Amino acid sequence: MRSILVVVLFAAAAVALLLGEGLEAAAIGAVLLLNTVLGFVLELGARRRMEALLRFDVPHARVHRDDRVVDVDASQLVPGDVILLAAGDRIPADARLLGGSEVSADESALTGESAPARKSADWTGVPETPLPDRRNLLHSGTILTAGNAQAVVVATGMSTEVGRIGTLMESVSEADTPLQRRLERLGRQLAWIAGGMALVVASVGLLQGTHPRQVMETAIALAIAAVPEGLPVVATIALSVGLVRMARRNAVIRHLHAVEALGSTTVVCTDKTGTLTGGHMTVRELRLADHIIHVTGTGYEPRGGFVLEGEAVRAQEVPGLVDALRVASLSARARLVESPGGWSVKGDPTDGALLVLAHKAPFAGSDLTADGPAVADIPFTAERPLTASLHRDVSGALIAHVKGAPSFVLKSCVRVLTGEGPVPLTPGLRDRFDSANDQMAKQGMRVIALAMGPVSSNSPDALHDLTFVALAGLIDPPAEGVADTIARFRDAGIRTAMLTGDQRLTAEAIAAELGLLEPGHETLDGAEIGRLSDDELSIRVRTCDVFSRISPTDKLRIVDALQRNGEIVAVIGDGVNDAAALKRAHAGVAMGIRGTDVAKEAASVVLQDDRFPTIVAAIEEGRVIYDNIRKFVFYLFSCNLAEVLVLFVAGVAGMPLPLLPLQILWLNLVTDTFPALALAVEPAEPNIMRRPPVHPGAAILSARFLRGIGVFALLITGSTIAAFTWGLHGGGGPASYTHAVTLSFMTLGLAQLFHLGDARSRHDVLSPHRMTANRHAIGAVVLVVLLQCLAVYTEPLATVLGTQPLKARDWAVVLPLAAFPAVVGQARRVRKRGAPI
């Protein structure tokens, strides 16, 4: 309702009412009502993001009350309550850990970190500590993946970290899409053009002594002619067509303008965990004393094998490898579960990855559990970052199978397993493993040390005479097809930026593997971003492709900085920490399967299959829709400018109106709209994903575009004025104004219809294949011809429109004149072969 074009039509309706032209005023009002209702209905959406945040909360919690443990509604928790948690529980409030055993939590939805966060009640830190490093805090909505915990509630509701993100989201306004800005600019330009022409015609008319009423009627006709009434409807339907197409390719559009925003995207900002990567920890490498073993296979499906020096090997062929697999299997506290949806892990993802590693060897279960069932455990603590599973072998001796931080495990070892058997762990060997640990960490791996040995008891102090077995390098590997997708983005002129809460080394390693870092570009972490002003950040984001260890506020600042640089930004994410950035982006894209409710509610696009390559299909469809919008804008504005010029030329020449206001409305709503709708479903142009995106600041009415519109408008105007003049001078019979108006009405309508071929493609459409590529265009031609015939041959429609039946001799004039602009246009295309419109 705020559009300048709508204001112009309101003014025309008001003037028509003042002149007593109730039918014309009612017709204009009906058009306004249709556009308003259609736009409202199609855009109506319940954007209840705060309700989504509440759904992210947990309904119940176990809490100490009155010296007993009771279940209460999570909304009744208050700071100071002591809650009890077990593995698999969703945490009901922000809480400080009081005690527990091997406590870890999956905070990926909140922080973006791929690995579960280890928690310790003994850790203390400063208030400025980044969220992922607050090891004594549990956060509302995250999941306890391992251990049992007691914690005291420190924040509930909107005071939690999730609640703060909700507050951040409330402060975020959605950015206008390029189409919205371009159409608004287009409307202003059109209003000025129409106003200027109306002023010229009115001045000339008054100077020639024309009656003021006729001058006003001409002004109304010009206003109606200048406004493409079908444009809002066609634009909305074109976006709806894109919505259906994208849904077929697993991209569900929640807000229509996101269709076009995707097509204009210049930068894709994406989360790492679960988006660029599969979201499953996987052992990628084993460092034994004598060999480096590469492990194939990704995810939790126990498929894959072992590669030594480029050759596939069996575990039994490599000394020490079977022992490493036994330690990995027996020290893991997780279960592998197979379901119709695939394999999953119950328990800590790191333990799950070690268990999957062991299952990649074709052993019977007894081979890996020869030391018998576990009889005791030594849990992880902040002071002792390792765990041990104790088993009795056939002789009854107690054997410890240990995993943990390499530096700490190495301190507990006195031997190392080699191809010749256990040998003393000399300082040189110790340094070699320390160096290997550093190398693996620089490659973005999470490194776990594996060791084993006899112990005298289940006391942690008994872990001092162990044999070092191997280093295991774990990583959340890139998801299938991601590297190819990033390469396709690059071909399409789209930059990809990674925004993650993970460590810098991990982010850089994944970016290098995916080919994401552009030559000469840098990486930034959250601490560095926090020290930059908004202006400084706007400069740095131009050459930065990897942002690590960042918070939700950092993500929002990065998106804002890119938008200030004129970029059209698409954000891809699945966690609560992505919600504010998803909302701010021109196109927010959430994962539909693993994405949180908060992310999906904040996004304008949801990927049903959670596959990163699906976004390419969505961007491709967005580009097709933008191309088609440009085509029907070209078509509609050529037609509307022709109508304006017909009235302008006749007014300046002192001729009567060649078209009546209701005839113009008919042409704009019926004769223009159906062909424009056919253009909305035009097939994609060749190489659409091998050309750069349209510049964000580019206007739809570029100079070249305007020249094309002007040429065709002048050709159509010349044909229409010729037909009108021929009728005024008695061509084909007695001179009659109604006859002359009917001739101009029919010539203009058919000339606009034949102009459809010029708008359909940058190339000529004369070949049989090109003519029939869009069957909707053929249907539009047949339908419009029938409607035009109804307008002159049937009552009472002919009376309302002020037309009369045409005779055969009239058609002999109308058809050649109407076809002339299209013939000239196709001849130009054949001569230039691909001249852009």
Side-chain angles (χ1 to χ4, degrees), residues 639-822:
C639 297
N640 281 80
L641 182 59
E643 294 167 8
V644 170
L645 289 174
V646 166
L647 297 172
F648 179 75
V649 170
V652 171
M655 301 167 68
L657 281 177
L659 295 165
L660 302 177
L662 285 180
Q663 291 175 347
I664 298 172
L665 268 180
W666 170 272
L667 291 172
N668 286 354
L669 285 177
V670 177
T671 315
D672 285 0
T673 303
F674 290 113
L677 285 174
L679 291 172
V681 293
E682 188 70 24
E685 296 281 347
N687 303 324
I688 194 167
M689 287 301 287
R690 287 199 289 274
R691 70 187 194 208
V694 177
H695 190 277
I700 292 180
L701 293 183
S702 64
R704 181 179 291 172
F705 199 76
L706 278 172
R707 283 196 300 272
I709 288 175
V711 167
F712 284 106
L714 286 171
L715 290 170
I716 295 171
T717 299
S719 292
T720 305
I721 291 293
F724 182 60
T725 305
W726 187 73
L728 280 180
H729 290 83
S736 164
Y737 176 68
T738 302
H739 180 238
V741 165
T742 305
L743 288 171
S744 59
F745 170 70
M746 186 61 75
T747 302
L748 179 58
L750 294 181
Q752 292 176 345
L753 179 62
F754 298 152
H755 176 47
L756 179 62
D758 299 312
R760 281 185 56 197
S761 175
R762 298 167 184 254
H763 310 278
D764 63 85
V765 292
L766 298 178
S767 68
H769 170 74
R770 199 67 193 86
M771 283 184 181
T772 58
N774 184 354
R775 65 180 186 277
H776 298 91
I778 299 172
V781 170
V782 173
L783 178 61
V784 170
V785 169
L786 290 175
L787 289 172
Q788 282 294 93
C789 290
L790 287 175
V792 298
Y793 288 113
T794 62
E795 293 291 347
L797 186 57
T799 301
V800 171
L801 292 175
T803 61
Q804 68 180 44
L806 295 177
K807 296 181 173 58
R809 59 177 176 270
D810 297 323
W811 285 107
V813 173
V814 167
L815 288 176
L817 286 174
F820 175 71

Side-chain angles (χ1 to χ4, degrees), residues 416-733:
V416 59
L417 188 64
T418 69
E420 306 300 324
V423 300
L425 183 60
T426 63
L429 285 173
R430 194 181 298 274
D431 290 343
R432 204 173 90 193
F433 280 112
D434 284 336
S435 175
N437 177 35
D438 292 340
Q439 291 174 12
M440 295 167 78
K442 288 178 181 177
Q443 295 173 33
M445 297 184 192
R446 184 184 183 195
V447 185
I448 302 293
L450 303 175
M452 64 180 183
V455 292
S456 58
S457 69
N458 62 354
S459 168
D461 296 332
L463 299 175
H464 56 75
D465 191 29
L466 302 178
T467 299
F468 191 85
V469 178
L471 293 175
L474 295 87
I475 199 166
D476 182 8
E480 183 181 356
V482 170
D484 291 339
T485 300
I486 291 173
R488 289 193 66 188
F489 281 158
R490 189 174 290 113
D491 290 342
I494 300 170
R495 184 159 68 96
T496 306
M498 179 197 295
L499 280 60
T500 179
D502 230 331
Q503 300 285 351
R504 189 174 201 151
L505 285 175
T506 303
E508 289 176 344
I510 293 294
E513 188 168 349
L514 292 172
L516 187 148
L517 271 172
E518 299 279 356
H521 282 202
E522 61 176 331
T523 67
L524 283 173
D525 66 19
E528 293 169 325
I529 292 171
R531 293 192 291 267
L532 297 175
S533 68
D534 288 345
D535 290 339
E536 290 171 332
L537 183 59
S538 295
I539 296 171
R540 297 290 291 275
V541 296
R542 294 172 186 166
T543 56
C544 183
D545 297 329
V546 176
F547 302 87
S548 60
R549 216 63 174 162
I550 60 174
S551 68
T553 303
D554 294 332
K555 289 191 177 187
L556 188 59
R557 288 189 66 206
I558 291 165
V559 173
D560 281 339
L562 288 167
Q563 290 176 339
R564 283 195 299 274
N565 290 341
E567 306 283 3
I568 304 301
V569 183
V571 171
I572 308 173
D574 56 9
V576 179
N577 60 325
D578 301 311
L582 286 168
K583 182 181 176 184
R584 172 70 84 189
H586 296 105
V589 183
M591 298 298 177
I593 299 174
R594 65 178 171 270
T596 61
D597 285 345
V598 184
K600 286 184 275 191
E601 288 291 334
S604 50
V605 183
V606 178
L607 303 184
Q608 288 180 298
D609 58 2
D610 278 15
R611 295 184 66 250
F612 188 74
T614 301
I615 195 65
V616 172
I619 288 177
E620 181 179 351
E621 290 294 348
R623 288 192 172 192
V624 172
I625 292 303
Y626 177 76
D627 271 7
N628 290 347
I629 287 175
R630 196 170 181 269
K631 288 172 183 177
F632 66 65
V633 166
F634 174 79
Y635 175 78
L636 288 174
F637 277 71
S638 300
C639 297
N640 281 80
L641 182 59
E643 294 167 8
V644 170
L645 289 174
V646 166
L647 297 172
F648 179 75
V649 170
V652 171
M655 301 167 68
L657 281 177
L659 295 165
L660 302 177
L662 285 180
Q663 291 175 347
I664 298 172
L665 268 180
W666 170 272
L667 291 172
N668 286 354
L669 285 177
V670 177
T671 315
D672 285 0
T673 303
F674 290 113
L677 285 174
L679 291 172
V681 293
E682 188 70 24
E685 296 281 347
N687 303 324
I688 194 167
M689 287 301 287
R690 287 199 289 274
R691 70 187 194 208
V694 177
H695 190 277
I700 292 180
L701 293 183
S702 64
R704 181 179 291 172
F705 199 76
L706 278 172
R707 283 196 300 272
I709 288 175
V711 167
F712 284 106
L714 286 171
L715 290 170
I716 295 171
T717 299
S719 292
T720 305
I721 291 293
F724 182 60
T725 305
W726 187 73
L728 280 180
H729 290 83

Side-chain angles (χ1 to χ4, degrees), residues 250-339:
N250 291 316
V252 176
I253 307 299
R254 298 186 65 247
H255 304 305
L256 282 180
H257 282 290
V259 176
E260 180 269 340
L262 281 171
S264 302
T265 296
T266 59
V267 177
V268 171
C269 294
T270 175
D271 185 27
K272 178 185 76 69
T273 305
T275 304
L276 296 179
T277 64
H280 306 304
M281 295 300 292
T282 302
V283 177
R284 177 69 67 83
E285 187 176 292
L286 283 170
R287 295 280 184 113
L288 307 175
D290 303 312
H291 303 290
I292 298 176
I293 305 296
H294 296 283
V295 185
T296 63
T298 59
Y300 293 138
E301 185 175 3
R303 289 187 181 178
F306 307 98
V307 177
L308 174 62
E309 297 179 355
E311 298 289 335
V313 294
R314 298 176 69 245
Q316 297 94 327
E317 298 171 353
V318 183
L321 181 52
V322 172
D323 297 281
L325 299 181
R326 181 178 292 116
V327 175
S329 175
L330 296 180
S331 64
R333 287 292 173 263
R335 288 188 300 112
L336 277 180
V337 179
E338 184 179 13
S339 65

